[in-house]
Amino acid sequence: MNGKPTFLKGISIHEEAPFKTGRVSTKEECKILLWTKELGCNFIRLTHYPHNKNMVKETEKLGLVVWSEIPVYWTVLFDNEATYKNAEKQLEDMARDKNRAAIVLWSIVNETPEGESRLQFLPI
C-alpha cells in the first residue's frame, strides 16, 4: 500500500445489524466495524453484495481497507438472462464507491464452478 508491502488481516461480514433484526442502515449500526478493529484487523470483506454506503464510509474513518463484491457465487445460474441483469445492476450499484479510498478490491465472482456458461457470463 502506497508503495509498501502490507499484510492484510481481516474478516468477512454480512451487512447484519448487531443489535436488531435486519441490515445495517445507519452509521450507528456499524458497530461490527469497531469490533473488527478491536480484533487487530486492518481489512474487511463486505461479503456477497454491495453493503450500505454508511458501512463503506465508516471503514474509511476507521482506517480499514475493503474488499467489496456482488453476489455471483456458488451455483448462480450463469445462463439466465435475469441473473445477468441482476449482477450487472449490482455492479452498477457498487460503482457508487469507485472513488472511496478504502476499496482495494472488487470481486465480481467467487466460488463458482468452471464451465462455458460461466465464461460467457463474465466480462473479459
Side-chain angles (χ1 to χ4, degrees), residues 46 56 60 65-68 97-98 100-106:
L46 301 178
V56 177
E60 289 181 330
V65 293
V66 175
W67 167 349
S68 187
D97 299 325
K98 69 181 178 185
R100 305 265 19 138
I103 306 290
V104 297
L105 180 72
W106 278 11

Side-chain angles (χ1 to χ4, degrees), residues 3-18:
K4 297 179 183 174
T6 302
F7 180 79
L8 298 178
K9 178 181 177 185
I11 62 170
S12 296
I13 64 166
H14 286 273
E15 191 184 49
E16 296 167 348

Side-chain angles (χ1 to χ4, degrees), residues 25-42:
S25 59
T26 67
K27 68 179 185 175
E28 292 77 24
E29 294 171 344
C30 296
K31 180 109 176 133
I32 195 165
L33 299 175
L34 294 173
W35 298 335
T36 301
K37 290 292 284 190
E38 289 174 7
L39 288 172
C41 298
N42 63 353

Side-chain angles (χ1 to χ4, degrees), residues 20 23-30 52 54-55 58:
K20 69 171 192 168
R23 292 178 137 188
V24 168
S25 59
T26 67
K27 68 179 185 175
E28 292 77 24
E29 294 171 344
C30 296
N52 183 286
N54 289 313
M55 267 303 227
E58 292 302 306

Side-chain angles (χ1 to χ4, degrees), residues 62-77:
L62 294 169
L64 294 164
V65 293
V66 175
W67 167 349
S68 187
E69 63 187 26
I70 62 173
V72 178
Y73 59 95
W74 299 342
T75 57
V76 65
L77 301 173

